[in-house]
Amino acid sequence: KLKLFLFPAVFIFLFLFTLALTCNQCKTSTGTTETSISKEEGESLAETASTTTTSEIDSKKTEKIKTTIETTSATDTSTEEKELNKPPTIQLEIFEGPTYSPADNVCFYRVKAIVTGKPAPEIGFNRDDSNGAWGKDKAQVNLKEGESFELVAVAKNSSGYATASINLTWGCSGLEETATTSTTSSAETFKVTEVNAYVNPTNFTGICPASVTWSATIKTNGPGTVTYRWEPEGGPPLPAQNLTFTNAGAQTVSINISLSAGYPDTKANYRIHIIAPNDLISNWATLTLTCYPDIEVRPPEVNFGTVAGDTALTYGVIVKNTSHGKLDILGVSINTGTSFFSIENNLCSSHSLFINDECTITVKFGPLSVIPPSGTGYQGTLRIRSNDPDESTVNVVLRATQR
C-alpha cells in the first residue's frame, strides 16, 4: 500500500515542477521587447516535458523572440522611410508681366513654380518660350494679340506627383502704343536739326589749279555723333566722316579742294549729306571758277647758225597752253629783222588753245637780196600776243650768221 501512494506523489511533483519552470520562462525579456508564448505553446511544451530538456525549450523560445524583434524592427524602418519621403505640392505665380515687346509684337508672361516635397520634385511645363533661359522652375509664354493659353506645370518625385495650372490672356492693350511712342521718342532724342553749306569766295579767277575751301554749319538738338559726307555735283561722293557733339549747338566742318576747270567759266557745286543720326541734305554751295591760260613758247631763242647768203633755212617755234583756261593767240609777227626773217607758216594766229594744246609757227631766214661779207650777223624778233594775263606778249629772239 505504501508503494501505491508514493507513485502518484512523484508524478504530481514532477508535473508541478515542470509547470513552474515553464511559467518562469514566460517572463523572460530581451531588451525592451516582451514576447509571450500562447497557452497552446505552453501545453505543447508540458506534454513533451518528459522527453525535452530545459535547454531545448529555451532554444525554441529564443528563436521566437528573435523573429518577433526582427518583425518589429522592419516595421519601425518602414515608418522612418515614410517620414523621409513626402509627396509634392505645386503652385504657380506670375513674377513678371504682362509686358509688351515691340521688337516681335508679343505680350509675354513669366511664371514661377513654387513646390514642396521630399525628395525634391522635378518640374515640367507644357510650354516655355524662353527655352529654359529663366531656370528649371520658371517658364515664359509669348502671346499674340487676342491669344490665350493655359500653362500647366507638373511636380513629381518618388512619392507621387502634383499639377497646377494658370490661364494667361493678352493683357497688353495700350502698352503697345506706349512702347511705340517711347521707341520713337528715343530715336528722335538726338538729331541734326539744320545744315547749311557755303564757299568763300564764290568766284575765283586766276592761275589754276585753284585751292578752294567749302564749309558747312551743322546744328544738333543734343549730344551725340554725326556721320556726314561731302558730295560734288556730277561726281562720286567723298568718304564719310564723324563729328562729335558734347551738347546741343552748331559746329562748322570744312574741306579744301584743288580745282582746275575749262574755259570760260566753270561752276563747281558741293553740298553736305548727313547720314546719321537722321538723313538730311544741305543746299548746294556754288563756286564760279575762271582759270587763266598759261602760254609756253619753245625755244625761247632760235639760232639758224651759219647760212650762205643765197640759201634759205626754216625753224619751227611751238606754242603751248599749260593751264586750264583757254589761250587765245591774238597775233604773230616779225617785230624786228624783217629784211632777213619772215614767217613761212602760221598755225597759231586766231586759234584758241586749251590745256596742253599746241600750235607751230614756222620762221624762215634768207635768202639775202644782197650778199654781205662773210661773218656778218643778223638778228630779229618773233612776237606772239595772247590773252595770258601775266605774259600777254612773248618775244622770241632770232639769230643767223653769214657764211
Side-chain angles (χ1 to χ4, degrees), residues 267-342:
K267 294 186 182 298
N269 293 306
Y270 275 79
R271 70 184 181 184
I272 196 166
H273 185 172
I274 304 299
I275 301 172
N278 54 305
D279 190 271
L280 190 62
I281 299 175
S282 75
N283 58 296
W284 288 108
T286 302
L287 168 72
T288 301
L289 179 68
T290 302
C291 292
Y292 284 155
D294 190 17
I295 189 170
E296 177 185 272
V297 179
R298 61 184 192 273
E301 180 178 317
V302 176
N303 192 339
F304 288 89
T306 302
V307 184
D310 58 352
T311 303
L313 291 179
T314 59
Y315 199 102
V317 176
I318 298 174
V319 179
K320 181 179 181 178
N321 180 13
T322 60
S323 182
H324 289 264
K326 185 184 71 166
L327 179 66
D328 295 325
I329 307 302
L330 303 178
V332 176
S333 63
I334 299 297
N335 188 40
T336 60
T338 56
S339 300
F340 322 110
F341 301 97
S342 62

Coordinates of all heavy atoms in Angstrom, one line a residue, residues 267-342:
K267 N 31.2 126.2 -113.1 CA 30.5 126.3 -111.8 C 30.7 125.0 -111.1 O 30.3 123.9 -111.6 CB 29.1 126.6 -112.0 CG 28.8 128.0 -112.6 CD 27.3 128.3 -112.6 CE 27.1 129.6 -113.3 NZ 27.7 130.7 -112.5
A268 N 31.4 125.1 -110.0 CA 31.6 123.9 -109.1 C 30.6 123.9 -107.9 O 30.6 124.9 -107.2 CB 33.0 123.8 -108.6
N269 N 29.9 122.8 -107.8 CA 28.8 122.7 -106.7 C 29.2 121.6 -105.8 O 29.4 120.5 -106.2 CB 27.5 122.5 -107.3 CG 27.0 123.7 -108.1 OD1 26.9 124.8 -107.7 ND2 26.6 123.4 -109.4
Y270 N 29.1 121.9 -104.5 CA 29.3 120.9 -103.4 C 28.2 121.1 -102.4 O 27.7 122.2 -102.1 CB 30.7 121.1 -102.7 CG 31.8 120.3 -103.4 CD1 32.4 120.9 -104.6 CD2 32.3 119.1 -103.0 CE1 33.4 120.3 -105.3 CE2 33.3 118.5 -103.7 CZ 33.9 119.0 -104.8 OH 34.9 118.4 -105.5
R271 N 27.8 120.0 -101.8 CA 26.8 120.0 -100.7 C 27.3 119.0 -99.6 O 28.1 118.1 -99.9 CB 25.4 119.7 -101.2 CG 25.2 118.2 -101.6 CD 23.9 118.0 -102.1 NE 23.7 116.6 -102.5 CZ 22.6 116.1 -103.1 NH1 21.6 116.9 -103.4 NH2 22.5 114.8 -103.4
I272 N 26.7 119.1 -98.4 CA 27.0 118.1 -97.4 C 25.7 117.3 -97.1 O 24.6 117.8 -97.0 CB 27.5 118.8 -96.1 CG1 28.2 117.8 -95.2 CG2 26.4 119.6 -95.4 CD1 29.0 118.5 -94.1
H273 N 26.0 116.0 -96.9 CA 24.9 115.0 -96.7 C 25.0 114.4 -95.3 O 26.0 113.7 -95.1 CB 24.9 113.9 -97.8 CG 23.8 113.0 -97.8 ND1 23.6 112.0 -98.7 CD2 22.8 112.8 -96.9 CE1 22.5 111.3 -98.4 NE2 22.0 111.7 -97.3
I274 N 24.0 114.6 -94.5 CA 24.0 114.0 -93.1 C 23.5 112.6 -93.3 O 22.3 112.4 -93.8 CB 23.2 114.8 -92.1 CG1 23.6 116.3 -92.1 CG2 23.2 114.1 -90.8 CD1 25.1 116.4 -91.6
I275 N 24.2 111.6 -92.8 CA 23.8 110.2 -93.0 C 23.2 109.7 -91.7 O 22.2 109.0 -91.7 CB 25.1 109.3 -93.3 CG1 25.7 109.8 -94.6 CG2 24.7 107.8 -93.4 CD1 27.0 109.1 -95.0
A276 N 23.8 110.1 -90.5 CA 23.2 109.7 -89.2 C 23.5 110.8 -88.2 O 24.4 111.6 -88.3 CB 23.9 108.4 -88.7
P277 N 22.6 111.0 -87.2 CA 21.5 110.0 -86.8 C 20.2 110.1 -87.6 O 19.4 109.3 -87.5 CB 21.2 110.5 -85.4 CG 21.5 112.0 -85.4 CD 22.7 112.1 -86.3
N278 N 20.1 111.1 -88.5 CA 19.0 111.3 -89.4 C 19.5 111.7 -90.7 O 20.6 112.2 -90.9 CB 17.9 112.2 -88.8 CG 18.5 113.6 -88.5 OD1 19.5 113.7 -87.7 ND2 18.0 114.6 -89.1
D279 N 18.7 111.4 -91.8 CA 19.1 111.8 -93.1 C 18.7 113.2 -93.4 O 17.5 113.6 -93.3 CB 18.4 110.8 -94.1 CG 19.0 111.0 -95.5 OD1 18.4 111.8 -96.3 OD2 19.9 110.3 -95.8
L280 N 19.7 114.0 -93.8 CA 19.4 115.5 -94.1 C 20.5 116.0 -95.0 O 21.7 115.7 -94.9 CB 19.5 116.3 -92.8 CG 19.0 117.7 -92.8 CD1 17.5 117.8 -93.2 CD2 19.2 118.4 -91.5
I281 N 20.0 116.7 -96.1 CA 20.9 117.2 -97.1 C 20.9 118.7 -97.1 O 19.8 119.3 -97.1 CB 20.5 116.6 -98.5 CG1 20.6 115.1 -98.5 CG2 21.4 117.2 -99.6 CD1 20.1 114.4 -99.7
S282 N 22.1 119.3 -97.3 CA 22.2 120.8 -97.3 C 21.9 121.3 -98.7 O 21.7 120.6 -99.6 CB 23.6 121.2 -96.8 OG 24.5 120.9 -97.9
N283 N 22.0 122.6 -98.8 CA 21.9 123.3 -100.1 C 23.2 123.1 -100.9 O 24.2 122.7 -100.3 CB 21.7 124.8 -99.8 CG 22.9 125.4 -99.0 OD1 23.1 125.0 -97.8 ND2 23.7 126.3 -99.5
W284 N 23.2 123.4 -102.2 CA 24.4 123.4 -103.0 C 25.1 124.7 -102.7 O 24.5 125.8 -102.8 CB 24.0 123.3 -104.5 CG 23.5 122.0 -104.9 CD1 22.3 121.6 -105.2 CD2 24.3 120.8 -105.0 NE1 22.2 120.3 -105.6 CE2 23.4 119.8 -105.5 CE3 25.7 120.5 -104.8 CZ2 23.9 118.5 -105.7 CZ3 26.1 119.2 -105.1 CH2 25.2 118.2 -105.5
A285 N 26.4 124.6 -102.5 CA 27.3 125.8 -102.4 C 28.1 125.9 -103.7 O 28.8 125.0 -104.1 CB 28.3 125.7 -101.3
T286 N 27.9 127.1 -104.5 CA 28.4 127.2 -105.8 C 29.6 128.1 -105.9 O 29.6 129.2 -105.4 CB 27.2 127.7 -106.8 OG1 26.1 126.8 -106.7 CG2 27.7 127.8 -108.2
L287 N 30.6 127.6 -106.7 CA 31.8 128.5 -107.0 C 31.9 128.6 -108.5 O 31.8 127.7 -109.2 CB 33.0 127.8 -106.5 CG 34.4 128.4 -107.0 CD1 34.6 129.7 -106.3 CD2 35.5 127.4 -106.8
T288 N 32.0 129.9 -108.9 CA 32.3 130.2 -110.3 C 33.8 130.3 -110.5 O 34.4 131.2 -109.9 CB 31.6 131.5 -110.7 OG1 30.1 131.4 -110.5 CG2 31.8 131.8 -112.2
L289 N 34.3 129.5 -111.3 CA 35.8 129.3 -111.5 C 36.2 129.8 -112.9 O 35.7 129.2 -113.8 CB 36.2 127.9 -111.2 CG 37.7 127.6 -111.3 CD1 38.5 128.3 -110.2 CD2 37.9 126.1 -111.2
T290 N 37.1 130.7 -112.9 CA 37.7 131.2 -114.2 C 39.2 131.0 -114.1 O 39.8 131.7 -113.3 CB 37.3 132.6 -114.5 OG1 35.9 132.8 -114.5 CG2 37.9 133.0 -115.9
C291 N 39.7 130.0 -114.9 CA 41.1 129.8 -114.9 C 41.9 130.5 -115.9 O 41.4 130.6 -117.1 CB 41.4 128.3 -115.1 SG 40.8 127.2 -113.7
Y292 N 42.9 131.2 -115.6 CA 43.8 131.9 -116.6 C 44.5 130.8 -117.4 O 44.9 129.8 -116.9 CB 44.8 132.7 -115.9 CG 44.3 134.0 -115.3 CD1 45.0 134.6 -114.3 CD2 43.2 134.6 -115.8 CE1 44.6 135.8 -113.8 CE2 42.7 135.8 -115.3 CZ 43.4 136.4 -114.3 OH 43.0 137.6 -113.8
P293 N 44.8 131.2 -118.7 CA 45.6 130.4 -119.5 C 47.1 130.6 -119.2 O 47.4 131.6 -118.5 CB 45.3 130.8 -121.0 CG 44.9 132.2 -120.8 CD 44.2 132.3 -119.5
D294 N 48.0 129.8 -119.6 CA 49.4 130.0 -119.3 C 50.2 129.6 -120.6 O 50.2 128.4 -120.9 CB 49.8 129.1 -118.1 CG 51.2 129.5 -117.6 OD1 51.7 130.5 -118.0 OD2 51.8 128.7 -116.9
I295 N 50.8 130.5 -121.3 CA 51.5 130.3 -122.5 C 52.9 129.8 -122.3 O 53.6 130.2 -121.3 CB 51.5 131.5 -123.4 CG1 52.0 131.2 -124.8 CG2 52.3 132.7 -122.8 CD1 51.8 132.3 -125.8
E296 N 53.3 128.9 -123.1 CA 54.7 128.4 -123.1 C 55.2 128.3 -124.5 O 54.5 127.8 -125.4 CB 54.7 127.0 -122.5 CG 56.1 126.4 -122.5 CD 56.1 124.9 -122.0 OE1 56.3 124.7 -120.8 OE2 55.9 124.0 -122.8
V297 N 56.3 129.0 -124.8 CA 56.9 129.1 -126.1 C 58.3 128.4 -126.1 O 59.1 128.8 -125.2 CB 57.0 130.5 -126.7 CG1 57.6 130.5 -128.0 CG2 55.6 131.2 -126.7
R298 N 58.5 127.5 -127.1 CA 59.8 126.9 -127.1 C 60.3 126.7 -128.6 O 59.4 126.4 -129.4 CB 59.8 125.6 -126.3 CG 58.9 124.5 -126.9 CD 58.9 123.3 -126.0 NE 58.3 122.2 -126.6 CZ 56.9 121.9 -126.6 NH1 56.2 122.8 -125.9 NH2 56.4 120.9 -127.2
P299 N 61.6 127.0 -128.8 CA 62.5 127.5 -127.8 C 62.4 129.0 -127.7 O 61.8 129.7 -128.5 CB 63.9 127.2 -128.5 CG 63.6 127.3 -130.0 CD 62.2 126.7 -130.1
P300 N 62.9 129.5 -126.6 CA 62.8 131.0 -126.4 C 63.7 131.8 -127.3 O 63.5 133.0 -127.5 CB 63.2 131.2 -124.9 CG 64.0 130.0 -124.6 CD 63.5 128.9 -125.4
E301 N 64.6 131.1 -128.0 CA 65.6 131.8 -128.9 C 65.9 130.8 -130.0 O 66.1 129.6 -129.8 CB 66.8 132.2 -128.2 CG 67.8 132.9 -129.1 CD 69.1 133.4 -128.4 OE1 68.9 133.9 -127.3 OE2 70.2 133.2 -128.9
V302 N 65.8 131.3 -131.3 CA 66.1 130.5 -132.4 C 67.4 131.0 -133.1 O 67.6 132.1 -133.4 CB 65.0 130.6 -133.5 CG1 65.3 129.8 -134.7 CG2 63.7 130.1 -132.9
N303 N 68.4 130.1 -133.2 CA 69.7 130.4 -133.9 C 69.8 129.5 -135.1 O 69.9 128.3 -135.0 CB 70.8 130.1 -132.9 CG 72.1 130.7 -133.4 OD1 72.3 131.0 -134.6 ND2 73.1 130.9 -132.5
F304 N 69.8 130.1 -136.3 CA 69.9 129.4 -137.5 C 71.3 129.0 -137.8 O 71.5 128.1 -138.7 CB 69.4 130.3 -138.7 CG 67.9 130.4 -138.7 CD1 67.3 131.5 -138.0 CD2 67.0 129.6 -139.4 CE1 65.9 131.7 -138.0 CE2 65.7 129.8 -139.4 CZ 65.1 130.8 -138.7
G305 N 72.3 129.5 -137.1 CA 73.7 129.2 -137.3 C 74.2 129.9 -138.5 O 73.8 131.0 -138.9
T306 N 75.3 129.4 -139.2 CA 76.0 130.0 -140.3 C 75.3 129.6 -141.6 O 75.1 128.4 -141.9 CB 77.4 129.6 -140.3 OG1 78.1 129.9 -139.1 CG2 78.2 130.2 -141.5
V307 N 74.8 130.5 -142.3 CA 74.0 130.3 -143.5 C 74.6 131.0 -144.7 O 74.9 132.2 -144.6 CB 72.5 130.7 -143.3 CG1 71.7 130.3 -144.5 CG2 72.0 130.1 -142.0
A308 N 74.6 130.4 -145.9 CA 75.1 131.1 -147.1 C 74.0 132.1 -147.5 O 72.8 131.9 -147.3 CB 75.3 130.1 -148.2
G309 N 74.5 133.2 -148.1 CA 73.6 134.3 -148.4 C 72.5 134.0 -149.3 O 71.4 134.6 -149.3
D310 N 72.8 133.1 -150.2 CA 71.8 132.7 -151.2 C 70.9 131.5 -150.8 O 70.2 130.9 -151.6 CB 72.4 132.5 -152.6 CG 73.5 131.4 -152.5 OD1 73.8 130.9 -151.3 OD2 74.0 130.9 -153.5
T311 N 71.0 131.1 -149.5 CA 70.3 129.9 -149.0 C 69.3 130.4 -148.0 O 69.4 131.3 -147.3 CB 71.3 129.0 -148.4 OG1 72.3 128.6 -149.3 CG2 70.6 127.7 -147.9
A312 N 68.1 129.6 -148.0 CA 67.1 129.9 -147.0 C 66.9 128.7 -146.1 O 67.0 127.5 -146.5 CB 65.7 130.1 -147.7
L313 N 66.8 128.9 -144.7 CA 66.5 127.9 -143.7 C 65.3 128.2 -142.9 O 64.9 129.4 -142.8 CB 67.7 127.8 -142.8 CG 69.0 127.3 -143.3 CD1 70.1 127.3 -142.2 CD2 68.9 125.9 -143.9
T314 N 64.6 127.2 -142.5 CA 63.3 127.4 -141.7 C 63.5 126.7 -140.3 O 64.3 125.7 -140.1 CB 62.1 126.8 -142.4 OG1 62.3 125.4 -142.6 CG2 61.9 127.5 -143.7
Y315 N 62.7 127.2 -139.4 CA 62.7 126.6 -138.0 C 61.3 126.8 -137.4 O 60.7 127.8 -137.5 CB 63.8 127.4 -137.1 CG 64.2 126.7 -135.9 CD1 65.4 126.0 -135.8 CD2 63.4 126.6 -134.8 CE1 65.8 125.4 -134.7 CE2 63.8 125.9 -133.6 CZ 65.0 125.3 -133.6 OH 65.4 124.6 -132.5
G316 N 60.9 125.7 -136.7 CA 59.5 125.7 -136.1 C 59.5 126.2 -134.7 O 60.2 125.6 -133.8
V317 N 58.7 127.2 -134.3 CA 58.5 127.6 -132.9 C 57.2 127.1 -132.4 O 56.1 127.3 -133.1 CB 58.6 129.1 -132.9 CG1 58.3 129.6 -131.4 CG2 59.9 129.7 -133.3
I318 N 57.2 126.4 -131.3 CA 56.0 125.7 -130.7 C 55.4 126.6 -129.6 O 56.1 127.0 -128.7 CB 56.3 124.3 -130.2 CG1 56.8 123.4 -131.3 CG2 55.1 123.7 -129.6 CD1 57.3 122.1 -130.9
V319 N 54.1 126.8 -129.7 CA 53.3 127.5 -128.7 C 52.4 126.5 -128.0 O 51.6 125.8 -128.6 CB 52.5 128.7 -129.3 CG1 51.7 129.4 -128.2 CG2 53.4 129.6 -130.0
K320 N 52.4 126.5 -126.6 CA 51.5 125.6 -125.9 C 50.8 126.3 -124.7 O 51.3 127.2 -124.1 CB 52.4 124.5 -125.3 CG 51.7 123.4 -124.5 CD 52.6 122.3 -124.0 CE 51.9 121.3 -123.2 NZ 52.8 120.2 -122.7
N321 N 49.6 125.8 -124.4 CA 48.8 126.2 -123.2 C 49.0 125.2 -122.1 O 48.5 124.1 -122.2 CB 47.3 126.4 -123.6 CG 46.5 127.0 -122.4 OD1 47.1 127.4 -121.4 ND2 45.2 126.9 -122.5
T322 N 49.6 125.6 -121.0 CA 49.8 124.6 -119.9 C 48.8 124.8 -118.8 O 48.9 124.1 -117.8 CB 51.2 124.8 -119.3 OG1 51.3 126.2 -118.8 CG2 52.3 124.6 -120.4
S323 N 47.8 125.6 -118.9 CA 46.8 125.8 -117.9 C 45.4 125.4 -118.4 O 45.2 125.0 -119.5 CB 46.8 127.2 -117.4 OG 45.9 127.4 -116.3
H324 N 44.4 125.5 -117.5 CA 43.0 125.0 -117.8 C 42.2 126.1 -118.5 O 41.1 125.8 -119.0 CB 42.3 124.5 -116.5 CG 42.9 123.2 -116.0 ND1 42.3 122.0 -116.3 CD2 43.9 123.0 -115.3 CE1 43.0 121.1 -115.8 NE2 44.0 121.6 -115.1
G325 N 42.7 127.4 -118.4 CA 42.0 128.4 -119.1 C 42.2 128.3 -120.6 O 43.2 127.7 -121.1
K326 N 41.4 129.0 -121.4 CA 41.5 129.0 -122.9 C 42.5 130.0 -123.3 O 42.4 131.2 -122.9 CB 40.2 129.3 -123.5 CG 40.2 129.2 -125.0 CD 38.9 129.6 -125.7 CE 38.7 131.1 -125.6 NZ 37.6 131.6 -126.4
L327 N 43.5 129.6 -124.0 CA 44.6 130.5 -124.5 C 44.2 130.9 -125.9 O 44.2 130.1 -126.9 CB 45.9 129.8 -124.5 CG 47.1 130.6 -125.0 CD1 47.4 131.8 -124.1 CD2 48.4 129.8 -125.1
D328 N 44.0 132.2 -126.1 CA 43.7 132.8 -127.4 C 45.0 133.4 -128.0 O 45.6 134.3 -127.3 CB 42.6 133.9 -127.3 CG 41.3 133.3 -126.9 OD1 41.0 132.1 -127.3 OD2 40.5 133.9 -126.1
I329 N 45.4 133.0 -129.2 CA 46.6 133.6 -129.8 C 46.0 134.8 -130.6 O 45.3 134.7 -131.6 CB 47.2 132.6 -130.8 CG1 47.6 131.3 -130.0 CG2 48.5 133.2 -131.4 CD1 48.5 131.5 -128.8
L330 N 46.4 136.0 -130.2 CA 45.9 137.2 -130.8 C 46.7 137.7 -132.0 O 46.1 138.5 -132.8 CB 45.8 138.3 -129.7 CG 45.0 137.9 -128.4 CD1 45.1 139.0 -127.4 CD2 43.6 137.6 -128.8
G331 N 47.9 137.4 -132.0 CA 48.7 137.9 -133.2 C 50.1 137.3 -133.2 O 50.7 137.0 -132.1
V332 N 50.7 137.1 -134.4 CA 52.0 136.6 -134.6 C 52.7 137.5 -135.7 O 52.1 137.6 -136.8 CB 52.0 135.1 -135.0 CG1 53.5 134.7 -135.3 CG2 51.4 134.2 -134.0
S333 N 53.9 138.0 -135.4 CA 54.6 138.8 -136.4 C 56.1 138.8 -136.1 O 56.5 138.5 -135.0 CB 54.0 140.3 -136.3 OG 54.3 140.8 -135.0
I334 N 56.8 139.3 -137.2 CA 58.2 139.5 -137.1 C 58.3 141.0 -136.7 O 58.0 141.9 -137.5 CB 59.0 139.3 -138.4 CG1 58.8 137.8 -138.8 CG2 60.5 139.6 -138.2 CD1 59.4 136.8 -137.8
N335 N 58.8 141.2 -135.5 CA 58.9 142.6 -135.0 C 60.1 143.4 -135.5 O 60.0 144.5 -135.9 CB 58.8 142.6 -133.5 CG 58.7 143.9 -132.8 OD1 57.9 144.8 -133.4 ND2 59.4 144.2 -131.8
T336 N 61.2 142.7 -135.5 CA 62.5 143.3 -136.0 C 63.2 142.3 -136.9 O 63.0 141.1 -136.7 CB 63.4 143.7 -134.8 OG1 63.7 142.6 -134.1 CG2 62.8 144.8 -133.9
G337 N 64.0 142.8 -137.8 CA 64.7 141.9 -138.7 C 63.9 141.4 -139.9 O 64.1 140.3 -140.4
T338 N 62.9 142.2 -140.3 CA 62.0 141.8 -141.3 C 62.7 141.6 -142.7 O 62.2 140.9 -143.6 CB 60.9 142.8 -141.5 OG1 61.4 144.1 -141.7 CG2 60.0 142.8 -140.2
S339 N 63.9 142.2 -142.9 CA 64.6 142.0 -144.1 C 65.3 140.7 -144.2 O 65.7 140.2 -145.3 CB 65.7 143.2 -144.3 OG 65.1 144.4 -144.3
F340 N 65.5 140.0 -143.1 CA 66.2 138.8 -143.1 C 65.3 137.6 -142.7 O 65.6 136.4 -143.1 CB 67.4 138.9 -142.2 CG 68.1 140.2 -142.2 CD1 68.0 141.1 -141.1 CD2 68.8 140.6 -143.3 CE1 68.7 142.3 -141.2 CE2 69.5 141.8 -143.4 CZ 69.4 142.7 -142.3
F341 N 64.3 137.9 -141.8 CA 63.5 136.8 -141.2 C 62.0 137.1 -141.7 O 61.6 138.2 -141.8 CB 63.6 136.8 -139.7 CG 65.0 136.6 -139.2 CD1 65.7 137.7 -138.8 CD2 65.5 135.3 -139.1 CE1 67.0 137.5 -138.3 CE2 66.8 135.1 -138.6 CZ 67.5 136.2 -138.2
S342 N 61.4 135.9 -141.8 CA 59.9 136.0 -142.2 C 59.2 134.8 -141.7 O 59.8 133.8 -141.2 CB 59.8 136.1 -143.7 OG 60.3 134.9 -144.3

